[in-house]
Amino acid sequence: MNDINVIKKDVMHVGEMASGAALTVPVYRIQGQGHGPSVYIQANMHGAEVQGNAVIFQLLEQLKHIRLNGDITLVPYANPVGCNHKNGEYTLGRFDPITGVNWNRMYHYDDTNIAAFAKAHQTASVADIERAFKSEMIGQIEQKLNHNIYGLTTGQRIAYQLQRLAHQADIVLDLHTGPISSKHLYCPEYARASAHYFDIEHVLFIPNGFDGALDEATFCPWWQLQLAFAALGRDFPITRADTSQGKDLIIKESFTVELGSQEQIDLALALEDARGILSYLQYQGVMASDEFQPKTMRRYSCMLKDYKALYSPMGGMVDYLAEFGKPLPAGQPLARILRMDNYGDGEPLHAISLDHSVIPILHFASASVNQGTELYKVFSKYSILT
Ligand SMILES: [Zn+2]
């Protein structure tokens, strides 16, 4: 197949190491030919969560040949510190080793001016609102990056530069993985219609609350603006599903896409993952194509408040038993914990179960756990996505 798109590469400087070595991130851009939504996709903000880089490779391989209506920006290796943070044979890279802060909790969000912004733009056109609001958000980031005499932490400097790119797009996808995990999607509640277009069986609906992550940092402002307009009696749709024919269409959606387990890439699976993402992008009108259709599958959803961590009731060695992604009946064991110190004069095996049905989504990456280690994360209440 002939390439019809040119892929442009830039190298973004995001910081410096003690030796003076530059911390850089590659940024790939493909320009669309029409007026479709623009897209920002990044991967590997957490060091061990590497599958997203392979997905970006497969996306670029596909996107070369597809006519695009909107611009697409792709950033693999989004966090060069996390990516290179090895200890023995393992990659760490979930927390800044100096401050202990989660790398995906350092983005910026400030909602103090949103109500006033809505009031000032109550009768403005959708296009004018979009332009002004976007420039307001990017301005805040520029201010933080360039006019901050007390400086920024290493993680903030990386996060803000990524966020500046993300704010320029209509659709933001942050590619992560769990530790040992099934695929799942973090989806803002207002964008639930879009969850049908990813090939992901497990969907978490997240409320309008900011906890520092990139998806929230990019959808919360638009959601808050929508609510501020609603309080003034103005309808301000931000998803395709909410927009009736003939109205101005803007799409503002962000997702965290959890692609499976950490510490591994699988290029064949990455192609599947890429096709699922392209199915969603096609639905949003990013591409002039009908090649990518979502798979028929049973999708389960869970509200974020019902996504529960199960902490180990005891220390020991864990035999993880539960199959991911399938409802596990009440009383069935999730895991067995081996305690060889009790062999002969006590109970060496302990079954871990719950008194209600759950869907196990991910578990801890190691068999040895302390009392209180996060053993599993499960959908504690779930429904079939319709
Ligand atoms: Zn992650």
Side-chain angles (χ1 to χ4, degrees), residues 118-376:
K119 210 158 188 187
H121 293 80
Q122 201 168 349
T123 58
S125 72
V126 169
D128 285 347
I129 292 167
E130 186 188 23
R131 204 173 308 119
F133 195 63
K134 208 192 254 191
S135 112
E136 166 84 25
M137 286 191 296
I138 293 168
Q140 285 182 16
I141 299 290
E142 298 274 355
Q143 194 67 26
K144 294 243 163 216
L145 280 167
N146 302 329
H147 303 282
N148 187 340
I149 56 168
Y150 285 102
L152 296 170
T153 68
T154 308
Q156 285 170 331
R157 186 174 297 281
I158 296 170
Y160 294 166
Q161 289 184 90
L162 298 167
Q163 188 173 353
R164 178 166 52 186
L165 298 179
H167 277 321
Q168 286 159 29
D170 301 310
I171 291 167
V172 174
L173 303 179
D174 194 10
L175 309 184
H176 285 249
T177 78
I180 308 295
S181 178
S182 58
K183 287 181 204 179
H184 52 290
L185 180 72
Y186 285 90
C187 172
E189 282 168 23
Y190 70 82
R192 58 187 303 135
S194 294
H196 293 272
Y197 292 88
F198 292 90
D199 289 336
I200 296 181
E201 286 171 311
H202 309 101
V203 181
L204 276 158
F205 288 127
I206 46 179
N208 189 10
F210 179 67
D211 193 30
L214 178 66
D215 56 351
E216 300 157 349
T218 46
F219 72 64
C220 284
W222 292 103
W223 198 346
Q224 206 55 40
L225 181 64
Q226 182 180 54
L227 294 175
F229 275 127
L232 297 168
R234 179 170 178 172
D235 186 25
F236 188 72
I238 51 173
T239 69
R240 180 168 294 278
D242 289 346
T243 307
S244 47
Q245 294 284 322
K247 280 194 181 171
D248 293 339
L249 177 67
I250 63 164
I251 294 166
K252 301 292 170 189
E253 294 189 359
S254 305
F255 302 86
T256 297
V257 185
E258 301 276 348
L259 294 161
S261 304
Q262 66 191 22
E263 294 280 30
Q264 44 188 295
I265 66 163
D266 179 327
L267 282 163
L269 257 182
L271 179 57
E272 294 283 301
D273 294 334
R275 291 185 67 89
I277 288 170
L278 292 169
S279 150
Y280 165 74
L281 297 182
Q282 178 181 295
Y283 158 70
Q284 295 292 18
V286 176
M287 296 133 55
S289 149
D290 56 8
E291 187 188 340
F292 302 96
Q293 300 301 332
K295 287 186 185 155
T296 306
M297 57 172 66
R298 175 171 286 182
R299 293 174 172 80
Y300 292 97
S301 68
C302 171
M303 306 307 283
L304 189 65
K305 67 177 173 50
D306 299 321
Y307 187 42
K308 299 272 196 204
L310 171 67
Y311 299 100
S312 184
M314 60 196 298
M317 306 290 141
V318 185
D319 179 9
Y320 297 96
L321 297 174
E323 195 185 344
F324 285 142
K326 304 271 176 294
L328 180 77
Q332 290 288 309
L334 280 148
R336 292 185 291 192
I337 300 191
L338 175 67
R339 283 288 294 263
M340 281 310 294
D341 54 316
N342 290 336
Y343 192 82
D345 59 356
E347 193 50 69
L349 280 178
H350 298 260
I352 307 292
S353 63
L354 289 163
D355 67 358
H356 55 279
S357 172
V358 298
I359 301 181
I361 297 295
L362 59 85
H363 68 62
F364 194 60
S366 167
S368 66
V369 301
N370 299 325
Q371 189 175 36
T373 294
E374 186 180 292
L375 212 53
Y376 271 95

Side-chain angles (χ1 to χ4, degrees), residues 44-47 49 93-94 102 104 174-178 256 258:
N44 207 182
M45 189 60 187
H46 289 137
E49 302 177 8
R94 184 169 184 78
N102 185 323
N104 190 27
D174 194 10
L175 309 184
H176 285 249
T177 78
T256 297
E258 301 276 348

